[in-house]
Amino acid sequence: MHAITIPEPGGPEALVWAEVPDPVPGEGEVLVEVAATAVNRADLLQRQGFYDPPPGSSPYPGLECSGRIAALGPGVSGWAVGDEVCALLADGGYAEKVAVPAGQLLPVPEGVDLVAAAALPEVTCTVWSNVFMIAHLRPGETLLVHGGASGIGTMAIQLAKAIGAKVAVTAGSAQKLARCAELGADVLIDYHQQDFVDEVRAATGGAGADVILDIIGAKYLNQNVKALATSGRLAIIGLQGGVKGELNLNALLRKRAAITATTLRARPAAEKAAIVAAVREHVWPLFAAGRVRPVIDRMLPLSEAAEGHRVLEASGHIGKVLLTR
């Protein structure tokens, strides 16, 4: 088969479309013939040499894919060759075929086509696990989403609105904020011109956000704590603004607030399977009902993955960037 390889870390040009050995599904795995995959920031870090794949996983980038099952490994039940699926991966989506633990498979949801389904596994699993399973966002509460126009952000807006929460977002342009509003965001904050702490407090009568989904990390740490409501929950899922920050713990104590920080890629297979099962139960019916949909900025051929990386690095996109076969 062919796959995007990384012979040496570097810029987008380091991604090389090359012939490689076919994967073989092991115990409890299925082989998926890939129809599409998506570009995630973890892929950019891997290309740069800063985020190695977990031990034993594929050396090729790609944290999600959609496609058709080509073969079943030993011990797999409940799936059949030819089934249309999408999958959460530890790696390997930038290829014509990938071996996937069966617990990380999802059927293509009703109302979504096979290629567009590649936009779903990473964002739905990330948002559902952090905002709902860990931070326990409830109807009537306020969620603040940093990077509201990103793949994660566009899904977080839709899922939070679907359960009856109020949503505030930050983004860096009027175009991005307008798209967030179309998806249901209630409070639109241009982080270039507005202070998100002040805006969130004003929108909540001074209370603050009950849950904050943060992709920035250190740069926003203290502001995020200021923006939290009493008993608020800060979920950190990205470090685009740095890895080290200093925090006044007394501010956290006074609010009885909590901070969590997670990654999805390195979790054990059993934890990923539990998240995937929860997404299938709670999120997939929302697609069937037309209440949630994938947001896709553009589709590019898989062999042109370098261009997909350039798009993500420029941060001019809204939603997901897909790579198609």
Side-chain angles (χ1 to χ4, degrees):
M1 71 170 186
H2 284 79
I4 293 291
T5 63
I6 309 174
E8 295 289 339
E13 68 281 355
L15 300 175
V16 178
W17 183 241
E19 190 171 353
V20 300
D22 283 17
V24 177
E27 180 75 27
E29 293 184 333
V30 303
L31 184 67
V32 174
E33 184 174 352
V34 174
T37 184
V39 183
N40 289 283
R41 294 215 171 256
D43 304 334
L44 276 59
L45 293 173
Q46 181 174 337
R47 186 204 75 219
Q48 294 164 345
F50 300 136
Y51 196 11
D52 291 336
S57 67
S58 169
Y60 319 122
L63 299 184
E64 56 194 329
C65 74
S66 63
R68 295 178 178 87
I69 294 179
L72 304 178
V76 174
S77 61
W79 299 98
V81 171
D83 284 350
E84 293 192 343
V85 297
C86 54
L88 181 69
L89 309 173
D91 255 311
Y94 286 27
E96 293 178 324
K97 299 175 184 176
V98 62
V100 186
Q104 292 167 218
L105 287 178
L106 288 155
V108 172
E110 183 180 340
V112 178
D113 68 49
L114 179 62
V115 170
L120 300 179
E122 182 72 16
V123 294
T124 55
C125 289
T126 297
V127 173
W128 192 261
S129 62
N130 284 279
V131 175
F132 298 94
M133 296 175 72
I134 297 175
H136 301 290
L137 181 70
R138 294 181 289 269
E141 290 191 324
T142 297
L143 170 69
L144 169 61
V145 181
H146 290 302
S150 66
I152 292 288
T154 53
M155 183 54 60
I157 294 167
Q158 294 181 82
L159 292 181
K161 294 301 295 183
I163 67 108
K166 182 176 183 178
V167 180
V169 298
T170 63
S173 72
Q175 179 189 14
K176 289 183 176 182
L177 289 173
R179 189 71 179 99
C180 292
E182 290 173 4
L183 294 170
D186 305 285
V187 182
L188 309 174
I189 305 166
D190 184 335
Y191 63 78
H192 290 303
Q193 302 180 27
Q194 297 169 289
D195 184 309
F196 71 80
V197 177
D198 292 341
E199 297 300 321
V200 168
R201 284 177 173 170
T204 57
D210 300 287
V211 176
I212 299 176
L213 186 62
D214 177 48
I215 60 172
I216 301 299
K219 181 180 177 181
Y220 277 5
L221 181 59
N222 282 287
Q223 287 173 282
N224 278 332
V225 172
K226 290 178 182 178
L228 279 176
T230 300
S231 299
R233 291 86 73 194
L234 168 60
I236 299 173
I237 60 168
L239 301 170
Q240 295 180 34
V243 300
K244 293 184 179 180
E246 185 172 307
L247 177 64
N248 180 350
L249 291 176
N250 190 43
L252 204 63
L253 287 169
R254 289 199 310 270
K255 291 189 173 184
R256 304 188 298 280
I259 300 176
T260 60
T262 71
T263 62
L264 192 55
R265 185 188 195 190
R267 289 187 183 220
E271 289 187 19
K272 290 181 182 178
I275 293 168
V276 167
V279 164
R280 184 172 182 175
E281 177 183 357
H282 297 286
V283 179
W284 256 221
L286 298 175
F287 286 103
R291 300 179 65 191
V292 176
R293 60 189 184 276
V295 178
I296 298 169
D297 184 89
R298 70 192 70 188
M299 299 183 186
L300 300 165
L302 179 55
S303 59
E304 297 178 16
E307 178 60 21
H309 279 223
R310 293 186 185 99
V311 170
L312 224 67
E313 287 178 333
S315 293
H317 62 292
I318 296 175
K320 300 285 285 190
V321 174
L322 299 190
L323 305 174
T324 64
R325 285 281 307 282

